[in-house]
Amino acid sequence: MLKFKLLLCVLTFMILHNSFAQDTISLKKGLVVGAVDISSRSVVNTDPVFYQLITNNDFKPQLNDSVGVNRHGDTERWDTISANAEGLFKTPKLRGGYLFQTYNSPEECIRILEISGHREVFVNGSPRGGDIYNKHLTFHPVQLKKGKNTFLVKGSRGQVKIQLLPVEKNISFMQRDLTTPDFITTEDNEKVGAVRILNASSQTQKSLKIVAESNGIKTETNVSTIVPLTMRKVAYWVKDAYTRKDTVDVNLKLYDGNELLDETTVRYKVRAKDQFYVRTFISDMDGSVQYFAVRESNVDTLTNPAMFLSLHGAAVEARGQSAAYQPKEWGHIICPTNRRDYGFDWEDWGRWDAMEVQKIAENMYGTDPEKTYLTGHSMGGHGTWQIGATFPGKWAALSPMSGWYSFFSYSNKEKLEEPDPLQKMFERASHSSHTLELSRNYLHHGIYIQHGDSDHVVPVGQARFMREHLSAFHPDFAYYEHPGRKHWFGIDFPMIFDYFKWHSIPENEKVKTFEFRTASPGVSASSRFITLYQQDKPFEFCGVKVSQRIPTEKEIKQGIVLKTRWIDIETENLSKFKLDITHCAPSDTVEIRIDQTSFEHAVADVGEVVWFEKENDNWRIRQAPTNTFEKNPVRYGNFKDGFRNNMIFVYSTKGTEAENKWSFNKARFDAETFYYRGNGSIDIISDKEFKASKYKDRSVILYGNASTNAAWKTLLKDCPVQVKNGEVIVGDKLLKGNSLSAYFIYPRMDSEKASVVAISGTGMEGFKAASPNRYFVSGVGIPDLMVFTPSLYNKGIKGVKAAGYFGNDWSVEKGDIVWK
């Protein structure tokens, strides 16, 4: 009888356990509070709820507790909330406010947190990635404790759905959010796609492989490492026999060694060259698979075709952008992705994506650099204004359609009228977003502006302002306001392409004058025959105004040959630049004047460039720089510049259990966020696994400090900023305490292009304060260095101890750093 009762108890436990393991758990009740934070496109933003989370080890909101005053002057208090019949927590309070929930788990276990409509979620205090656009891509494997588990959700657009799913397979494919190229009937090469793999185990997966089979042709791809309790989008290669079908099914099988873990089928489109199609590539930014769409010219025999780089709007993908065009007789339409349909507003990584695709397409299709054009609609119209001003020498003409010209005019990013010295450092870091400050760069090319006069998404005032602004100085722009048209009224207009056809980039010897201005050489460095190399004052605008004496039409008709060419250069905030005079005839004598300094009888030999450096306010001719460690266009800063060059995230193992846990969780959180915002795929490894020779020329994002991360000594031993438990040293200044946080960038000493980014703290309080990743928001500028405390989140700029820029030699002494 006793044995029977024991057996019954065991069976009952097994049934209950199995029922618990298989059921979906919907979290239907909680507490909610509206936003009181001062939110802007800045890393310096207050957030009292987050401040309470990181400064209170037993954070638990209570009903009616006040968190502060909202923008309307009302006190925000925690209140009860229940999910509706669809499982949604729906309230205006979740437009930037918080939802807090608890769940009592009967046992320790792993579950899949499915959540949407949020900026981020803190599970038992640890951050996980968000789903701000309700795309339903967020499935986080989470380790639940036996007993109470907490979920603090930062809302985004007014509704959140949250539930805990059972783990059906420890390692599995996820069928949504695939990146797939099209098979093209005239090509038989391998192509690269990407699929998400969920690792719902507590082990790092290092030996997975994908076997792709299409029409009997198999390819095998070793899968990148996937750390525990996360999802990663990984590359795989595929080849097909190229049938004439419209679609082809590709079977994917996932193996660990010889063990089959999962399989799925992916449907590929088969396209002919006379249709729009999709190509994929491995991005240099992070090693992820990205795509661009193409609408080729309908003329097969075209030589030196033009390129029309077309930028899509928010929630529109490159596929849809290319489908909106008919083929053009004289060029190819190339549509990059901005890394996502919302992506980065064509700034930061979106800007890099556009230029990466432009370069790939130019090499692949042999397009004419002198007949390369830029256009876009809505967010892509903003991208046209932005990228057109940032890289003016790349385009023969622009056509922004229904676009906003600046964050300051459209996206609620306030420009401080009189920033204090610390605030000025952050403003300078975002100078690349200041479109109007770069607007004289538009003199490089023609501009055709289009907008609907009934547009309620992007008001026509944006276009009208730019019409008035350009009319003060620009001799070659056209403007058309479509009567009665709203936001979308098409993008394929013959008059735009007719306007483009009238324009090409002139040869350097025919250019009489040009202006070029940039936020820094690290953002954009070259135009015509000038390359900017270093600034006097980092991230203050710099540039040149150039004029040269060239033969007049009358002189050309009379056969008069100029023997002396005059080049006059007026500089702004420059300390070093390069002048390429290869466009001058070898027989010419070149006389150069830079500001008030003249250089006579410079001979233009074939292939000659001349380097100039400013010393004591006078310009001198110098040899080409050989010290690639110094700041230069390839590696200049600021902080965000380190998040490219096939970046790798390195977390710590030398610290305490809590410190190492924070480091790993933060690295995973950043990788999840960059996946969501930028379709990214980041390698995450421990400091014990990092070997400089194995990860050559890759930028490193280092989590922890010299006391906790073993890779610190290898990568940052010579850096003038040092962080360890209890202290931060910046040059000759010492700050003590356990609540200091630091973000900074420094060159990787064994590379000519890669950087090291440190996300650091002096103790657990400092580490927690460094947890947010607003640096992945477009337009958010961060200097080379900032040191701050948790008080940043309730006092704003008063919580910043120091911010600024290293010198051109990456020293503190020659830098520009402001201390509180």
Side-chain angles (χ1 to χ4, degrees):
M1 186 66 178
L2 181 59
K3 289 182 178 180
F4 176 76
K5 287 183 177 180
L6 288 172
L7 181 60
L8 184 62
C9 288
V10 170
L11 289 172
T12 301
F13 173 80
M14 291 177 65
I15 291 170
L16 290 173
H17 175 76
N18 187 62
S19 175
F20 166 75
Q22 296 303 316
D23 289 343
T24 294
I25 302 164
S26 296
L27 303 181
K28 295 183 177 181
K29 294 184 181 298
L31 295 176
V32 68
V33 69
V36 297
D37 52 312
I38 301 173
S39 184
S40 62
R41 287 182 184 268
S42 172
V43 72
V44 181
N45 67 298
T46 60
D47 188 336
V49 175
F50 179 71
Y51 176 75
Q52 291 175 21
L53 175 70
I54 62 176
T55 57
N56 185 348
N57 290 329
D58 191 27
F59 173 75
K60 183 181 179 181
Q62 299 294 322
L63 183 64
N64 292 324
D65 276 358
S66 168
V67 300
V69 177
N70 63 28
R71 66 182 63 186
H72 305 295
D74 301 322
T75 299
E76 287 289 349
R77 300 180 183 277
W78 288 99
D79 196 4
T80 57
I81 189 172
S82 298
N84 63 18
E86 298 174 331
L88 291 173
F89 293 92
K90 197 168 183 178
T91 170
K93 289 181 179 293
L94 287 175
R95 293 185 180 274
Y98 279 92
L99 170 68
F100 180 78
Q101 296 174 291
T102 61
Y103 171 67
N104 286 310
S105 176
E107 63 178 4
E108 182 178 314
C109 63
I110 294 172
R111 281 271 178 166
I112 308 299
L113 174 63
E114 181 186 11
I115 181 171
S116 59
H118 65 303
R119 294 185 186 178
E120 59 253 346
V121 55
F122 297 88
V123 182
N124 293 325
S126 296
R128 303 302 298 263
D131 177 23
I132 59 175
Y133 300 116
N134 271 307
K135 297 176 72 68
H136 302 282
L137 298 179
T138 307
F139 295 83
H140 297 314
V142 294
Q143 180 75 55
L144 297 182
K145 303 180 293 184
K146 183 178 181 180
K148 186 177 75 172
N149 295 267
T150 62
F151 303 86
L152 179 65
V153 183
K154 176 79 166 177
S156 174
R157 296 189 169 190
Q159 65 179 44
V160 168
K161 187 171 184 178
I162 178 171
Q163 56 186 357
L164 295 164
L165 308 179
V167 176
E168 296 180 0
K169 294 181 179 180
N170 287 341
I171 315 295
S172 61
F173 285 125
M174 304 183 75
Q175 294 185 340
R176 296 194 60 212
D177 195 34
L178 301 165
T179 300
T180 56
D182 291 337
F183 290 135
I184 301 173
T185 55
T186 56
E187 299 177 358
D188 63 356
N189 57 320
E190 286 189 347
K191 298 185 184 298
V192 64
V195 61
R196 296 190 299 170
I197 294 177
L198 186 73
N199 180 7
S201 77
S202 57
Q203 303 299 315
T204 298
Q205 302 300 316
K206 296 183 177 181
S207 57
L208 303 180
K209 65 180 179 181
I210 295 173
V211 176
E213 182 176 356
S214 177
N215 285 321
I217 301 175
K218 292 184 179 181
T219 57
E220 186 174 305
T221 307
N222 291 325
V223 173
S224 302
T225 297
I226 308 175
V227 296
L229 300 179
T230 194
M231 175 280 303
R232 184 173 182 186
K233 195 169 184 180
V234 300
Y236 67 90
W237 292 88
V238 63
K239 193 173 183 180
D240 185 74
Y242 299 103
T243 65
R244 286 288 174 174
K245 296 178 180 178
D246 292 333
T247 59
V248 170
D249 287 341
V250 176
N251 180 252
L252 301 182
K253 292 184 177 180
L254 180 63
Y255 290 91
D256 186 355
N258 294 320
E259 180 186 359
L260 177 63
L261 302 178
D262 200 10
E263 63 180 308
T264 191
T265 299
V266 179
R267 180 152 292 180
Y268 276 59
K269 293 179 180 178
V270 180
R271 297 286 196 177
K273 284 291 187 78
D274 60 357
Q275 300 173 291
F276 75 88
Y277 58 82
V278 165
R279 291 196 184 277
T280 51
F281 65 99
I282 303 292
S283 173
D284 289 338
M285 276 185 261
D286 61 346
S288 63
V289 178
Q290 303 296 326
Y291 87 87
F292 62 96
V294 181
R295 173 73 83 173
E296 284 196 35
S297 170
N298 54 4
V299 177
D300 293 336
T301 58
L302 192 63
T303 58
N304 295 321
M307 180 196 298
F308 313 107
L309 196 74
S310 182
L311 311 181
H312 65 76
V316 179
E317 288 205 16
R319 285 182 178 86
Q321 189 79 352
S322 63
Y325 288 102
Q326 292 298 313
K328 307 304 169 192
E329 293 184 352
W330 58 292
H332 305 314
I333 295 165
I334 307 295
C335 304
T337 67
N338 186 34
R339 303 282 294 201
R340 282 285 191 194
D341 49 356
Y342 287 90
F344 301 101
D345 300 285
W346 297 106
E347 301 201 18
D348 300 323
W349 296 271
R351 180 182 71 228
W352 290 330
D353 173 75
M355 300 312 296
E356 190 172 29
V357 168
Q358 190 271 336
K359 183 177 180 181
I360 290 170
E362 185 174 277
N363 293 334
M364 181 175 290
Y365 294 99
T367 57
D368 187 346
E370 294 181 3
K371 295 181 179 179
T372 301
Y373 308 89
L374 181 65
T375 185
H377 176 265
S378 190
M379 181 180 72
H382 166 67
T384 303
W385 286 121
Q386 236 286 316
I387 294 174
T390 303
F391 305 102
K394 287 286 187 182
W395 323 108
L398 316 177
S399 181
M401 293 180 280
S402 305
W404 37 281
Y405 64 87
S406 169
F407 282 136
F408 304 109
S409 66
Y410 179 70
S411 296
N412 299 319
K413 180 181 179 182
E414 295 183 2
K415 190 174 181 180
L416 297 173
E417 292 185 5
E418 296 183 5
D420 68 29
L422 269 175
Q423 291 169 329
K424 181 63 178 175
M425 290 298 167
F426 293 95
E427 181 191 85
R428 282 161 58 178
S430 65
H431 269 172
S432 60
S433 294
H434 292 222
T435 313
L436 288 182
E437 298 286 356
L438 305 173
S439 60
R440 291 189 66 87
N441 287 350
Y442 296 135
L443 288 167
H444 279 67
H445 36 241
I447 302 176
Y448 191 122
I449 307 169
Q450 283 203 142
H451 216 109
D453 70 358
S454 299
D455 190 337
H456 299 298
V457 178
V458 180
V460 69
Q462 296 286 306
R464 291 173 181 173
F465 177 88
M466 288 305 292
R467 176 185 61 188
E468 296 304 313
H469 181 72
L470 292 173
S471 66
F473 66 90
H474 203 297
D476 180 16
F477 77 93
Y479 181 91
Y480 185 65
E481 195 171 293
H482 290 258
R485 295 296 181 92
K486 296 184 179 180
H487 189 57
W488 172 257
F489 50 91
I491 56 177
D492 192 6
F493 293 99
M495 56 272 209
I496 290 176
F497 290 91
D498 288 343
Y499 183 84
F500 284 169
K501 192 173 286 188
W502 304 337
H503 293 80
S504 62
I505 299 175
E507 296 175 354
N508 283 337
E509 63 264 25
K510 297 179 180 179
V511 175
K512 292 182 180 180
T513 64
F514 70 91
E515 299 180 27
F516 175 48
R517 201 175 198 227
T518 183
S520 91
V523 175
S524 60
S526 298
S527 183
R528 308 294 193 211
F529 44 86
I530 297 279
T531 298
L532 313 183
Y533 197 78
Q534 288 178 351
Q535 297 166 298
D536 283 330
K537 197 163 187 169
F539 280 85
E540 290 285 18
F541 292 104
C542 66
V544 291
K545 294 180 180 179
V546 182
S547 60
Q548 63 175 342
R549 173 75 165 86
I550 63 175
T552 64
E553 291 185 10
K554 181 178 179 181
E555 289 170 334
I556 293 172
K557 289 179 180 179
Q558 294 176 348
I560 297 174
V561 178
L562 286 179
K563 291 299 182 182
T564 301
R565 184 181 294 262
W566 294 271
I567 300 177
D568 198 323
I569 303 171
E570 179 183 335
T571 71
E572 174 192 11
N573 188 32
L574 276 183
S575 62
K576 190 180 295 185
F577 71 95
K578 178 176 71 173
L579 174 64
D580 185 338
I581 54 176
T582 56
H583 65 283
C584 303
S587 59
D588 286 353
T589 296
V590 181
E591 295 190 3
I592 302 164
R593 187 177 70 177
I594 306 173
D595 299 329
Q596 302 304 315
T597 307
S598 295
F599 302 86
E600 298 180 354
H601 308 300
V603 179
D605 292 333
V606 175
E608 184 170 353
V609 296
V610 185
W611 284 88
F612 296 94
E613 185 172 4
K614 189 159 58 177
E615 296 178 0
N616 299 320
D617 291 328
N618 292 309
W619 288 98
R620 300 283 186 265
I621 294 178
R622 291 289 181 258
Q623 296 295 317
T626 58
N627 184 358
T628 57
F629 170 79
E630 287 193 344
K631 286 189 172 184
N632 65 76
V634 174
R635 182 173 58 188
Y636 207 91
N638 51 34
F639 178 79
K640 293 170 77 167
D641 188 61
F643 288 85
R644 53 178 176 162
N645 288 314
N646 201 9
M647 55 184 164
I648 183 170
F649 292 179
V650 179
Y651 63 89
S652 70
T653 63
K654 281 182 60 183
T656 65
E657 181 180 355
E659 290 168 340
N660 294 337
K661 182 181 178 181
W662 170 86
S663 180
F664 172 81
N665 288 341
K666 169 62 173 163
R668 182 180 59 186
F669 173 50
D670 280 5
E672 290 170 346
T673 303
F674 195 74
Y675 153 74
Y676 182 85
R677 289 184 175 270
N679 194 28
S681 181
I682 310 294
D683 285 325
I684 304 175
I685 64 170
S686 71
D687 52 3
K688 293 185 295 186
E689 298 171 281
F690 178 77
K691 291 181 175 55
S693 58
K694 183 177 179 180
Y695 300 101
K696 182 176 173 58
D697 285 331
R698 296 179 66 176
S699 289
V700 178
I701 316 301
L702 191 151
Y703 298 89
N705 64 31
S707 304
T708 67
N709 195 305
W712 187 285
K713 184 176 181 180
T714 300
L715 295 167
L716 293 172
K717 63 179 180 180
D718 296 321
C719 180
V721 179
Q722 291 295 317
V723 187
K724 62 182 180 180
N725 285 347
E727 67 179 43
V728 174
I729 298 173
V730 180
D732 59 359
K733 292 185 180 293
L734 170 65
L735 287 78
K736 285 186 172 291
N738 296 318
S739 62
L740 296 165
S741 307
Y743 293 160
F744 64 90
I745 185 172
Y746 195 71
R748 184 168 165 177
M749 302 292 290
D750 59 346
S751 173
E752 293 185 356
K753 65 178 184 179
S755 301
V756 181
V757 165
I759 298 173
S760 189
T762 57
M764 282 307 302
E765 289 181 68
F767 287 141
K768 288 178 181 180
S771 292
N773 52 27
R774 289 180 65 85
Y775 37 80
F776 290 135
V777 177
S778 56
V780 171
I782 303 177
D784 291 349
L785 162 72
M786 65 177 293
V787 180
F788 58 102
T789 69
S791 64
L792 178 147
Y793 301 106
N794 71 341
K795 294 182 179 179
I797 196 70
K798 294 180 180 178
V800 178
K801 295 289 187 181
Y805 301 87
F806 294 108
N808 287 328
D809 60 354
W810 291 97
S811 72
V812 170
E813 292 77 16
K814 294 183 180 180
D816 188 3
I817 297 174
V818 172
W819 291 85
K820 181 180 176 182

